[in-house]
Amino acid sequence: MQITWKKILALAATVILILYGVSIWWSSEPDVLEPEVLNTETGEIITGYATTSALINTLDTLLSKPGGWLSNDVAPPSVLMDNMPAFEFGALEQARDLALIMRKEFSRSQSQSTADNDLFEAHSKLNIAHSNWLIPSAESQYGDAIKLLKLYRARIADSHNQNAQFYARADNLNEWLKEVQKRLGSMSQRLSASVGQERLNTDLAGDTAARQSTPNLASQHIKTGWWQIDDVFYEARGSCWALLNFMRAVEVDFADVLKKKNAEVSLRQIIRELESTQQTVWSPMILNGSGFGLVANHSLVMANYVSRANAAVIDLTNLLSQG
């Protein structure tokens, strides 16, 4: 009987080690993507191809990386993993924002123009819950969105097809940057809350006539729960990874606009800060030291890069808004 129990324990230990090894492999983060460019017969870059390809390749990478889409898995080891699902969700949120702006702004010449059907359907499919595993599953809907985006990309690459357009203008680029500002600002606040802080209520600041539906406290203590610290960190890391892919593509498609506004350096500064967020994490776990304590605080380091990237986005928005 004793030998049988030893075999059972040895088998259980082997299974646990295998699952642990698989979880480490599946937790490997994807590399930053290079912009994909297509030229016309005359050598000119097809406007919008790089940005659309960046969205397609980012989504495809999330679905085809080791382990595939892990956020909706209900079996071990992925059901016990939270870092990579958080990374996936952060990247997905950025993809949803870009898909929305492509549908509302980049593909439309003016407010009265109609939305592109492929982009409309693609954005709708991206909005399914990332943890949905029943029919339809999240990855099946995201896969359909990729197919629709490829159809749109093929149409803008066809010089004889006038039914699909990508307009690289300063005003519609600004609309996307406004969404980026909101996302980065929220991300920075959540990361900074890892050590806890007292925040003053500035909801109505700057407008004496402003009102809100229900009153808030003058100040509030905000602190991220201990179990959520690593999730917030990896969500921010995934969001910055996707945003970096998109910024590199925007640098290609909006090159003339950026040059006219003398804003190339501002965009490169954003890219540089986002690249810093993708540095290797050497610690086996996300540390949460307090302020200037002995132990590092990875969330505050990430918040620093995110805040600097957000400041650069604000500068770029101001440049693009100038005549």
Side-chain angles (χ1 to χ4, degrees), residues 227-302:
W227 290 103
Q228 283 77 45
I229 289 174
D230 61 333
D231 295 342
V232 173
F233 177 87
Y234 280 101
E235 182 182 333
R237 195 167 168 89
S239 182
C240 290
W241 170 79
L243 184 58
L244 178 55
N245 295 336
F246 301 155
M247 285 293 178
R248 285 184 167 185
V250 163
E251 186 178 22
V252 174
D253 283 331
F254 290 82
D256 292 339
V257 173
L258 295 169
K259 183 177 181 180
K260 180 180 178 181
K261 299 288 185 176
N262 198 25
E264 302 103 322
V265 177
S266 296
L267 182 58
R268 294 193 192 111
Q269 183 63 36
I270 298 171
I271 292 175
R272 177 173 296 181
E273 299 299 341
L274 291 174
E275 287 174 341
S276 298
T277 67
Q278 302 303 301
Q279 297 180 66
T280 303
V281 180
W282 296 106
S283 173
M285 62 181 296
I286 300 304
L287 300 179
N288 189 44
S290 58
F292 296 106
L294 295 175
V295 181
N297 187 301
H298 293 119
S299 297
L300 291 184
V301 175
M302 179 68 77

Side-chain angles (χ1 to χ4, degrees), residues 25-315:
W25 178 37
W26 287 1
S27 295
S28 57
E29 299 172 10
D31 295 330
V32 178
L33 307 179
E34 292 295 329
E36 188 174 335
V37 179
L38 183 65
N39 297 327
T40 63
E41 296 178 354
T42 59
E44 297 180 355
I45 293 177
I46 295 177
T47 303
Y49 193 91
T51 301
T52 308
S53 295
L55 179 55
I56 292 171
N57 295 336
T58 295
L59 291 169
D60 186 60
T61 300
L62 292 173
L63 297 180
S64 61
K65 61 179 173 51
W69 186 258
L70 301 178
S71 296
N72 62 349
D73 284 4
V74 293
S78 49
V79 71
L80 303 174
M81 300 167 57
D82 58 354
N83 291 345
M84 182 50 68
F87 183 97
E88 292 173 346
F89 181 70
L92 177 63
E93 287 285 86
Q94 289 289 357
R96 286 170 172 170
D97 289 347
L98 179 57
L100 175 63
I101 296 301
M102 286 182 63
R103 175 173 72 86
K104 293 175 59 179
E105 304 293 339
F106 291 167
S107 63
R108 302 177 65 186
S109 59
Q110 53 189 356
S111 60
Q112 290 79 17
S113 58
T114 58
D116 186 273
N117 288 332
D118 287 336
L119 292 179
F120 181 84
E121 290 294 330
H123 178 248
S124 298
K125 290 183 178 295
L126 287 176
N127 282 325
I128 189 174
H130 70 290
S131 58
N132 196 34
W133 61 276
L134 292 174
I135 300 174
S137 64
E139 55 259 63
S140 67
Q141 293 294 287
Y142 301 155
D144 290 343
I146 291 174
K147 294 176 183 177
L148 291 165
L149 290 169
K150 286 182 177 179
L151 290 176
Y152 168 74
R153 184 179 64 176
R155 287 190 289 120
I156 63 173
D158 184 2
S159 59
H160 302 291
N161 191 334
Q162 306 298 322
N163 294 326
Q165 296 290 342
F166 186 102
Y167 298 98
R169 303 193 309 263
D171 60 336
N172 57 18
L173 176 58
N174 242 348
E175 292 301 317
W176 176 59
L177 292 175
K178 290 177 183 177
E179 295 297 323
V180 172
Q181 283 183 44
K182 296 174 185 176
R183 191 69 66 184
L184 292 179
S186 174
M187 197 185 306
S188 176
Q189 291 288 342
R190 293 174 64 201
L191 288 166
S192 299
S194 61
V195 294
Q197 55 184 214
E198 198 75 18
R199 290 184 185 169
L200 300 177
N201 187 348
T202 59
D203 295 343
L204 303 180
D207 189 350
T208 58
R211 296 292 181 268
Q212 62 187 69
S213 56
T214 55
N216 286 337
L217 298 174
S219 63
Q220 189 175 6
H221 184 75
I222 305 294
K223 182 174 175 60
T224 304
W226 189 80
W227 290 103
Q228 283 77 45
I229 289 174
D230 61 333
D231 295 342
V232 173
F233 177 87
Y234 280 101
E235 182 182 333
R237 195 167 168 89
S239 182
C240 290
W241 170 79
L243 184 58
L244 178 55
N245 295 336
F246 301 155
M247 285 293 178
R248 285 184 167 185
V250 163
E251 186 178 22
V252 174
D253 283 331
F254 290 82
D256 292 339
V257 173
L258 295 169
K259 183 177 181 180
K260 180 180 178 181
K261 299 288 185 176
N262 198 25
E264 302 103 322
V265 177
S266 296
L267 182 58
R268 294 193 192 111
Q269 183 63 36
I270 298 171
I271 292 175
R272 177 173 296 181
E273 299 299 341
L274 291 174
E275 287 174 341
S276 298
T277 67
Q278 302 303 301
Q279 297 180 66
T280 303
V281 180
W282 296 106
S283 173
M285 62 181 296
I286 300 304
L287 300 179
N288 189 44
S290 58
F292 296 106
L294 295 175
V295 181
N297 187 301
H298 293 119
S299 297
L300 291 184
V301 175
M302 179 68 77
N304 173 62
Y305 292 130
V306 171
S307 297
R308 287 169 60 87
N310 194 26
V313 170
I314 294 173
D315 290 341

Side-chain angles (χ1 to χ4, degrees), residues 4-18:
T4 303
W5 277 111
K6 285 183 177 179
K7 289 182 179 179
I8 293 175
L9 291 174
L11 179 61
T14 302
V15 171
I16 292 174
L17 285 175
I18 292 175

